């Protein structure tokens, strides 16, 4: 057995029943568990007098868990640590997690110890880990059985995970829509799409007191003018968004998804001709992804268009060379930004 010395200390030796210096060693144990050969790290005492390895109660307990974790890994099951970290994601106690899942109240405690979970319970725990939305559904069902303070704590943890999860998928979906333009730098204004910048720019506009009635159509025009002015001044855009010529002017590809990015906040308002999206002030007024120059460009856009109505901006946009020379629904090239009506 290959072993590693961890420490040496004077203690009562349970092997020779005398007090002397005893070594603590770690090694890789082999065992057959439920018909499967497993190898796992274990810890023992070594009596140099009796030349014998032995374990005390604590060591035997943790060696047993180590063996069962090795078995769990081999069988593709969650380990004790995996299970406790799933619980940790939701900041949840062992007994409340049992309650949430409708399991006996000691079940999770046992699974984080010596008892191997069955495959069905393993699947449920994995699903719970990957699906905070489902966690929230279960939490609502268990609401009356959980103390209010704990409920609020679990809800907050799950809601945060859900937001992050959702945002990750949303970002992937947006980048997928942009992938086919990968080699067309004249379309995104010489910069790759940065959704962090997009979110910051939208928040910058919605937080500016001079920007009135910021609904979606107006916001889309402000985005295009910002990128176009940036390109005209510096040779590159701010966000990397790609715009199409639609009847109401320039609109970025994936516009429906962009407004749902984490950090962008709006109210849906019923208007006569459909739903309006009104962009609200955001909780934070930090714009870590915008440079000073970016902000100067945005300030100029706010100065020119902040108080304009949607229809006024559409009118101005319709007269831009970039719009006039682009076929309906086609992508607007940034090369036209040189002829932009603003400086
Ligand atoms: Zn001894």
């Amino acid at each position: 057995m290959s072993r590693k010395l961890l420490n040496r200390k004077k203690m009562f030796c349970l092997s020779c029943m005398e007090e002397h210096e005893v070594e603590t060693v770690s090694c890789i144990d082999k065992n057959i568990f439920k018909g499967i050969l497993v190898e796992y790290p274990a810890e023992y005492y070594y009596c140099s007098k009796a030349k014998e390895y032995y374990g005390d109660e604590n060591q035997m307990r943790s060696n047993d868990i180590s063996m069962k974790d090795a078995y769990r890994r081999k069988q593709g099951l969650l380990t004790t640590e995996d299970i406790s970290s799933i619980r940790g994601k939701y900041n949840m106690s062992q007994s409340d997690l049992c309650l949430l899942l409708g399991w006996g109240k000691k079940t999770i405690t046992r699974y984080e110890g010596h008892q191997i979970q069955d495959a069905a319970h393993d699947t449920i725990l994995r699903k719970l880990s990957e699906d905070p939305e489902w966690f929230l559904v279960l939490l609502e069902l268990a609401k009356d059985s959980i103390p209010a303070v704990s409920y609020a704590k679990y809800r907050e943890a799950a809601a945060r995970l859900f937001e992050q999860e959702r945002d990750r998928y949303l970002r992937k979906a947006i980048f997928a829509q942009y992938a086919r333009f990968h080699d067309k730098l004249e379309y995104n204004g010489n910069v790759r799409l940065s959704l962090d910048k997009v979110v910051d720019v939208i928040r910058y506009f919605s937080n500016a007191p001079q920007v009135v009635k910021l609904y979606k159509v107006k916001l889309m025009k402000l985005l295009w003018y910002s990128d176009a002015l940036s390109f005209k001044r510096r040779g590159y855009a701010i966000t990397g968004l790609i715009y199409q010529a639609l009847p109401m002017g320039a609109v970025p590809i994936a516009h429906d998804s962009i407004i749902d990015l984490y950090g962008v906040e709006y109210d849906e308002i019923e208007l006569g001709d459909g739903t309006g999206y009104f962009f609200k002030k955001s909780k934070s007024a930090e714009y870590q992804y915008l440079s000073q120059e970016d902000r100067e460009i945005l300030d100029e856009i706010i100065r020119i268009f902040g108080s304009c109505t949607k229809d006024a901006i559409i009118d101005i946009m319709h007269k831009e060379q970039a719009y006039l020379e682009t076929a309906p629904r086609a992508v607007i090239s940034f090369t036209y930004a040189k002829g932009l009506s603003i400086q």
Side-chain angles (χ1 to χ4, degrees):
M1 172 162 79
S2 97
R3 53 182 194 153
K4 200 174 116 205
L5 178 64
L6 295 177
N7 64 57
R8 237 183 226 115
K9 64 179 177 217
K10 199 162 187 187
M11 57 186 269
F12 181 78
C13 173
L14 289 172
S15 174
C16 63
M17 295 297 174
E18 276 173 38
E19 182 160 308
H20 67 92
E21 207 168 59
V22 177
E23 292 179 354
T24 305
V25 298
S26 74
C27 61
I28 299 296
D29 259 3
K30 277 185 195 173
N31 221 326
I32 304 280
F33 181 72
K34 291 192 174 188
I36 303 272
L37 173 69
V38 285
E39 293 182 38
Y40 54 95
E43 212 180 283
Y44 295 98
Y45 289 123
Y46 179 67
C47 168
S48 50
K49 296 189 173 175
K51 299 202 180 334
E52 189 186 55
Y53 292 94
Y54 67 95
D56 67 9
E57 212 177 303
N58 276 336
Q59 286 171 327
M60 296 319 275
R61 193 179 304 129
S62 73
N63 291 346
D64 183 62
I65 289 179
S66 179
M67 175 185 77
K68 285 171 180 165
D69 273 342
Y71 172 83
R72 286 171 162 116
R73 271 187 210 100
K74 250 193 161 165
Q75 299 294 95
L77 296 170
L78 297 163
T79 64
T80 50
E81 236 173 77
D82 294 336
I83 295 173
S84 92
S85 79
I86 290 171
R87 204 162 53 70
K89 271 169 93 167
Y90 295 105
N91 214 348
M92 202 169 216
S93 69
Q94 293 176 327
S95 55
D96 281 349
L97 182 53
C98 293
L99 212 150
L100 188 87
L101 293 170
W103 295 354
K105 66 179 183 219
K106 290 277 172 213
T107 311
I108 293 291
T109 310
R110 287 199 294 263
Y111 288 168
E112 289 183 27
H114 300 273
Q115 188 182 322
I116 310 245
Q117 67 277 22
D118 67 40
H121 277 188
D122 194 84
T123 305
I124 287 169
L125 288 169
R126 276 174 206 276
K127 178 165 166 55
L128 198 69
S129 172
E130 289 155 14
D131 192 348
E133 191 179 10
W134 186 51
F135 180 97
L136 285 167
V137 171
L138 295 177
L139 186 63
E140 276 320 296
L141 296 173
K143 188 176 179 179
D144 295 336
S145 333
I146 295 175
V149 178
S150 309
Y151 167 84
K153 186 178 77 172
Y154 304 151
R155 202 178 186 298
E156 195 196 321
R160 196 176 55 237
L161 288 173
F162 181 46
E163 279 287 348
Q164 287 166 353
E165 198 92 334
R166 203 180 131 273
D167 202 53
R168 216 166 23 241
Y169 285 116
L170 192 58
R171 283 173 176 245
K172 270 193 196 165
I174 295 170
F175 278 111
Q177 279 187 269
Y178 275 71
R180 68 195 161 104
F181 301 104
H182 197 74
D183 297 323
K184 309 259 194 212
L185 283 173
E186 75 269 26
Y187 286 170
N188 52 19
N190 282 335
V191 285
R192 296 267 170 247
L193 178 62
S194 161
L195 292 175
D196 294 326
K197 283 204 174 210
V198 170
V199 170
D200 269 6
V201 170
I202 295 175
R203 291 170 48 252
Y204 196 80
F205 287 139
S206 66
N207 284 338
Q210 308 91 312
V211 176
V212 300
K213 291 198 176 168
L214 187 59
Y215 282 87
K216 190 174 168 191
V217 173
K218 178 168 173 175
L219 174 66
M220 299 301 131
K221 304 294 125 358
L222 296 187
L223 288 172
W224 181 76
Y225 269 109
S226 305
D227 279 326
L229 181 60
S230 169
F231 189 91
K232 183 180 184 179
R233 286 187 181 179
R234 310 186 285 184
Y236 57 91
I238 297 174
T239 64
L241 286 169
I242 295 174
Y243 298 84
Q244 268 180 298
L246 296 190
M248 280 194 282
V251 173
I253 286 172
H255 55 96
D256 286 333
S257 304
I258 282 162
I259 62 169
D260 283 332
L261 285 167
Y262 185 70
V264 174
E265 289 173 49
Y266 61 80
D267 283 331
E268 286 182 53
I269 291 170
E270 289 311 319
L271 302 172
D273 53 350
T275 308
Y277 299 89
F278 174 74
F279 292 84
K280 319 189 273 185
K281 289 201 183 333
S282 70
K283 283 172 200 119
S284 142
E286 298 275 314
Y287 311 101
Q288 59 165 314
Y289 298 102
L290 300 180
S291 68
Q292 186 53 39
E293 241 180 39
D294 291 340
R295 293 171 66 149
E296 282 163 20
I297 290 162
L298 300 181
D299 287 338
E300 180 65 5
I301 297 300
I302 291 170
R303 196 186 63 75
I304 299 171
F305 298 110
S307 59
C308 281
T309 63
K310 165 189 99 176
D311 292 334
I313 305 186
I314 292 174
D315 272 352
I316 301 168
M317 169 94 223
H318 281 168
K319 297 188 184 101
E320 295 289 349
Q321 185 200 359
Y323 189 74
L324 294 170
E325 302 210 2
T326 304
R329 308 204 69 83
V331 168
I332 302 173
S333 168
F334 271 90
T335 52
Y336 296 118
K338 288 186 217 105
L340 198 68
S341 66
I342 60 173
Q343 305 296 318

